[in-house]
Amino acid sequence: GESVGLHLPTLSVQEGDNSIINCAYSNSASDYFIWYKQESGKGPQFIIDIRSNMDKRQGQRVTVLLNKTVKHLSLQIAATQPGDSAVYFCAENRRSGYSTLTFGKGTMLLVSP
Amino acid sequence: GAVVSQHPSRVICKSGTSVKIECRSLDFQATTMFWYRQFPKKSLMLMATSNEGSKATYEQGVEKDKFLINHASLTLSTLTVTSAHPEDSSFYICSVAGAKRDEQFFGPGTRLTVL
């Protein structure tokens, strides 16, 4: 069936580097996407979101890019810090107007000092 | 965003017993709450959608008689794992729907271990 997936299960970077986490989705009807950060033993924490009528959105140190042509979503983290180490999930809302999210498989980001 | 709490944060129980997990929305009246299950190194899987004052909607493959959900008020939803078995050991996470219908705010999770 249709699902949200990630290309890289683990990404290791050095402190100060920029990180890029990728996500592929298959449901062309999805109109809202969110990136969450989950630290060990904790619930997901909202990072940034983007709607399908946009292709880029920036937050503090983070940028989300959406390419609807190839159904690809990415999260860019600038100047990665050890505190950014966590699992990152992309999630999509497949039903406009309803709060039902489908999560991707997750990418572990490891930041070395 | 909404502040969501869960209680307990960790619970260990014997096989065959029932366990109740509470999810509270501390600063937001949540008409809709969600329950997820997450196995180690896996993603979140939606179990059910809980609407205040009505029966929960369960996802395919989730036994409604085993995972009882009650959403009696706008700030509290409970998940009861009945007759728990070791395979029910997991991380259970709730979330509340935000003012924008496609936002969700998550609780800190409850680690259930069934011996």
Side-chain angles (χ1 to χ4, degrees), chain A residues 54-89:
Chain A
M54 303 173 69
D55 53 21
K56 180 179 180 179
R57 190 154 188 245
Q58 288 185 292
Q60 188 175 15
R61 281 202 307 119
V62 295
T63 301
V64 55
L65 299 177
L66 175 63
N67 186 330
K68 294 181 288 294
T69 302
V70 295
K71 301 195 191 86
H72 185 266
L73 192 69
S74 69
L75 175 69
Q76 299 179 1
I77 304 173
T80 315
Q81 302 165 1
D84 294 327
S85 294
V87 178
Y88 290 80
F89 293 97

Side-chain angles (χ1 to χ4, degrees), chain A residues 32 38 51 93 97 99 104, chain B residues 34 38 43 101-104:
Chain A
Y32 180 59
Q38 186 180 28
R51 297 198 179 274
N93 184 318
S99 185
Chain B
F34 304 87
Q38 185 179 31
S43 187
R101 294 212 54 167
D102 42 18
E103 279 183 330
Q104 286 188 31

Side-chain angles (χ1 to χ4, degrees), chain A residues 38 44 89 103-104, chain B residues 36-38 42-46 93 106:
Chain A
Q38 186 180 28
F89 293 97
F103 281 78
Chain B
Y36 293 83
R37 180 167 54 183
Q38 185 179 31
K42 298 293 184 181
S43 187
L44 282 74
M45 291 181 58
L46 180 65
I93 309 171
F106 287 83

Side-chain angles (χ1 to χ4, degrees), chain B residues 63-83:
Chain B
E63 299 176 58
K64 63 180 181 180
D65 294 331
K66 180 165 185 63
F67 299 99
L68 301 178
I69 293 172
N70 184 281
H71 190 164
S73 77
L74 291 172
T75 59
L76 174 64
S77 176
T78 61
L79 169 68
T80 301
V81 183
T82 62
S83 187

Side-chain angles (χ1 to χ4, degrees), chain B residues 2-75:
Chain B
V3 178
V4 182
S5 70
Q6 285 185 237
H7 178 79
S9 58
R10 289 179 175 268
V11 57
I12 300 173
C13 69
K14 293 182 178 180
S15 185
T17 61
S18 295
V19 175
K20 180 185 285 188
I21 302 170
E22 293 185 349
C23 175
R24 292 184 184 274
S25 176
L26 300 181
D27 59 351
F28 183 79
Q29 293 194 321
T31 55
T32 304
M33 291 185 174
F34 304 87
W35 286 97
Y36 293 83
R37 180 167 54 183
Q38 185 179 31
F39 292 107
K41 300 189 188 302
K42 298 293 184 181
S43 187
L44 282 74
M45 291 181 58
L46 180 65
M47 298 174 68
T49 302
S50 167
N51 293 297
E52 186 264 338
S54 63
K55 291 183 179 180
T57 302
Y58 290 81
E59 294 298 302
Q60 191 173 9
V62 178
E63 299 176 58
K64 63 180 181 180
D65 294 331
K66 180 165 185 63
F67 299 99
L68 301 178
I69 293 172
N70 184 281
H71 190 164
S73 77
L74 291 172
T75 59

